[in-house]
């Protein structure tokens, strides 16, 4: 099996600050249910994501992508192995790890601002400061003028912007995204990818991004991990050495080559 645990890169600067966004997945497997109705969702997986990197995880439906992401988020407890984010052993969800889902998960009875403020409920700060921070986060995703609208008054792309603002307002070290743009139309999806690149290049949060769209993975990621069909395991690491930014209308031969490689891996993994 492919050994994808890497030797630590040399850490420059303040090591404790840098290590905060490191994700260490060590021998993590997930089995749901009890004998005889067990589902092996994830075979033992080892993976280290360095702080500030952008990693995409692709694979066929049901191969365990969400399960792996949920184990990092602390929503799923590994059957074997453990996950660390920075120095912290993941045992439950934690504000240093932000999660964005496909279905936005907004409260319909709160405004955009209210939704972001709700996420800051646990943070010890006066209401006024929470309000200010929520507005700043909405500004960051280009939604300042829509702060008082309810989710029902917003388009899909705008709802997802609110969800991203909500997550970023807590200033996480790590951002986990589970097919976040999967429900959006093609045009909106491209704009959201640009927004995400913009946010990431400014914040340098460690991102783990699940998608089954090869083009999306190649537009965004430093490295793509490919999973096999269920029971899932990582079968290949594909570094994406394409210069940034990566405008969609200027994807050259390197891009096409990587695309063919990934398509091939996904196709053959289905055999
Ligand atoms: N809470 C759960 N209980 C039982 N089985 C689950 C649960 N979550 C996921 N599974 C199963 O685990 C496997 C992997 O699912 P998932 O991680 O959602 O795949 P993906 O995100 O790649 O589509 C699937 O067979 C799915 O049915
Ligand atoms: Mg999934």
């Amino acid at each position: 099996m492919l050994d994808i645990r890497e030797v630590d890169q040399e850490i420059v600067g303040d090591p404790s600050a840098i290590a905060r966004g490191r994700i260490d997945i060590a021998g993590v497997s997930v089995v749901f249910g009890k004998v005889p109705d067990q589902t092996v969702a994830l075979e033992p997986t080892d993976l280290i994501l360095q702080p500030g990197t952008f990693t995409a995880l692709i694979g066929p439906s049901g191969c365990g992508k969400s399960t792996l992401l949920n184990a990092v988020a602390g929503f799923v407890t590994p059957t074997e192995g453990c996950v660390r984010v920075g120095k912290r052993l993941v045992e439950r969800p934690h504000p240093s790890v932000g999660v964005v889902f496909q279905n936005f998960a907004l409260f319909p009875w709160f405004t955009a601002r209210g939704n972001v403020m709700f996420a800051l409920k646990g943070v010890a700060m006066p209401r006024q400061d929470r309000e200010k921070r929520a507005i700043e986060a909405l500004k960051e995703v280009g939604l300042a003028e829509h702060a008082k609208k309810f989710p029902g008054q917003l388009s899909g792309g705008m709802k997802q912007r609110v969800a991203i603002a909500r997550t970023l307002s807590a200033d996480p070290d790590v951002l986990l995204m589970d097919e976040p743009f999967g429900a959006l139309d093609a045009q909106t999806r491209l704009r959201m990818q640009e927004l995400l690149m913009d946010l990431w290049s400014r914040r340098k949060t460690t991102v783990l991004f699940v998608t089954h769209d090869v083009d999306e993975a190649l537009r965004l990621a430093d490295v793509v991990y490919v999973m096999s069909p269920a029971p899932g395991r990582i079968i290949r690491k594909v570094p994406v050495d394409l210069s940034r930014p990566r405008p969609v209308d200027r994807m050259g031969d390197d891009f096409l080559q990587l695309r063919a490689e990934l398509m091939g891996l996904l196709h053959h993994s289905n055999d």
Side-chain angles (χ1 to χ4, degrees), residues 155-218:
S155 68
M158 287 158 105
K159 280 185 224 170
Q160 197 55 300
R161 281 171 197 256
V162 176
I164 292 171
R166 178 180 57 188
T167 305
L168 293 181
S169 67
D171 203 15
D173 300 324
V174 163
L175 184 56
L176 307 176
M177 306 186 88
D178 195 352
E179 308 203 30
F181 310 144
L184 306 177
D185 64 81
Q187 214 44 46
T188 307
R189 193 173 180 142
L190 290 179
R191 277 211 306 278
M192 293 302 290
Q193 290 169 0
E194 266 161 37
L195 171 74
L196 178 58
M197 283 294 91
D198 188 43
L199 293 170
W200 174 70
S201 57
R202 274 191 281 125
R203 288 177 165 253
K204 281 292 174 193
T205 309
T206 314
V207 181
L208 177 58
F209 188 101
V210 167
T211 179
H212 52 241
D213 181 336
V214 166
D215 288 358
E216 184 165 73
L218 289 177

Side-chain angles (χ1 to χ4, degrees), residues 6-58:
E6 292 159 351
V7 179
D8 254 302
Q9 286 158 4
E10 193 185 339
I11 291 178
V12 195
D14 174 5
S16 62
I18 292 171
R20 264 197 275 140
R22 186 174 187 271
I23 303 175
D24 187 347
I25 297 165
V28 169
S29 68
V30 177
V31 181
F32 289 112
K34 295 206 158 59
V35 183
D37 288 319
Q38 283 189 324
T39 305
V40 179
L42 187 67
E43 291 204 332
T45 297
D46 290 308
L47 197 58
I48 289 179
L49 309 188
Q50 295 297 347
T53 55
F54 197 117
T55 302
L57 192 59
I58 64 171

Side-chain angles (χ1 to χ4, degrees), residues 72-75 85 88 90-99 172-174:
V72 178
F75 298 141
V85 172
R88 185 178 59 88
V90 174
E91 290 173 309
R92 60 186 71 85
H94 189 272
S96 65
V97 177
V99 190
D173 300 324
V174 163

Side-chain angles (χ1 to χ4, degrees), residues 19 44 58 65 86 128-129 163 196 207 262:
I58 64 171
K65 302 182 294 297
Q128 262 177 340
D129 290 356
L196 178 58
V207 181
L262 289 174

Side-chain angles (χ1 to χ4, degrees), residues 1-5 23-31 40-49 55 57 63-65 67-69 71-72 78-84 208 225-228 231-236:
M1 198 168 133
L2 183 69
D3 183 9
I4 41 188
R5 284 175 75 81
I23 303 175
D24 187 347
I25 297 165
V28 169
S29 68
V30 177
V31 181
V40 179
L42 187 67
E43 291 204 332
T45 297
D46 290 308
L47 197 58
I48 289 179
L49 309 188
T55 302
L57 192 59
C63 74
K65 302 182 294 297
T67 301
L68 182 55
L69 185 134
V72 178
T79 307
E80 295 171 305
C82 65
V83 179
R84 276 176 202 282
L208 177 58
Y225 287 100
V226 183
M227 292 181 72
S228 68
R233 63 194 174 85
I234 291 173
I235 51 170
R236 189 73 71 90

